[in-house]
Amino acid sequence: MSAPPKSDVPVITPNDLAEADGFVFGFPTRFGMMSAQFKAFLDATGGLWRTQQLAGKPAGIFYSTGSQGGGQETTALTAITQLVHHGMIFVPIGYTFGAGMFEMEQVKGGSPYGAGTYAGDGSRMPSELELAQAFHQGKYIAGITKKLKAAA
């Protein structure tokens, strides 16, 4: 599937998700949906679903596509179904990134659903604007997660 070689980044198991207070899931897009590898990971969370261990936890998503017509918004929309079945709270970034959401002078991925980038054939790296949007998303979701945890 043209995936890069494995790195030394630690790999989590589906059951590790129960330990988290919130999530920001990221994945590449394949034909307008999350990649099969990430779908398989979520499919392995059946035990967590059965016991609703992820219910009430906030979750956001970010993604990459090969082109501007590669399905960034459809990827987000189809990924939300996974969160809903677990009872997670989907946290979009909306237009909270401000002027960066309206940038028209440079190529920028992402949408109100979450941060994104255009990877092309895999050689394009995220732009500074795309990285700033992703950082904003992480900070935004972390703030909401912290508020929810304090209220519990």
Side-chain angles (χ1 to χ4, degrees):
M1 296 181 135
S2 301
K6 302 277 187 261
S7 69
D8 59 351
V9 174
V11 176
I12 66 168
T13 68
N15 287 333
D16 292 333
L17 296 176
E19 313 259 334
D21 295 325
F23 310 97
V24 184
F25 296 119
F27 37 80
T29 296
R30 295 291 183 266
F31 304 112
M33 298 188 302
M34 72 175 68
S35 65
Q37 296 92 329
F38 197 79
K39 176 69 167 62
F41 177 81
L42 290 177
D43 284 346
T45 62
L48 298 173
W49 164 79
R50 191 177 323 101
T51 57
Q52 286 294 285
Q53 290 184 60
L54 305 180
K57 295 185 180 195
I61 55 174
F62 65 98
Y63 33 77
S64 66
T65 56
S67 67
Q68 290 180 340
Q72 292 206 355
E73 288 194 345
T74 59
T75 298
L77 287 169
T78 56
I80 291 169
T81 62
Q82 308 295 316
L83 309 180
V84 168
H85 281 270
H86 277 287
M88 289 187 243
I89 302 166
F90 175 57
V91 181
I93 60 170
Y95 284 85
T96 63
F97 186 49
M101 293 299 289
F102 302 98
E103 173 59 44
M104 298 297 287
E105 299 301 317
Q106 59 181 303
V107 174
K108 182 191 79 64
S111 74
Y113 295 99
T117 189
Y118 298 113
D121 63 1
S123 62
R124 180 182 182 271
M125 298 304 293
S127 69
E128 289 298 319
L129 184 60
E130 290 169 330
L131 291 172
Q133 183 181 35
F135 182 81
H136 168 78
Q137 180 180 13
K139 189 174 177 181
Y140 181 72
I141 293 174
I144 290 172
T145 302
K146 187 175 180 180
K147 288 177 189 175
L148 287 171
K149 186 167 174 72

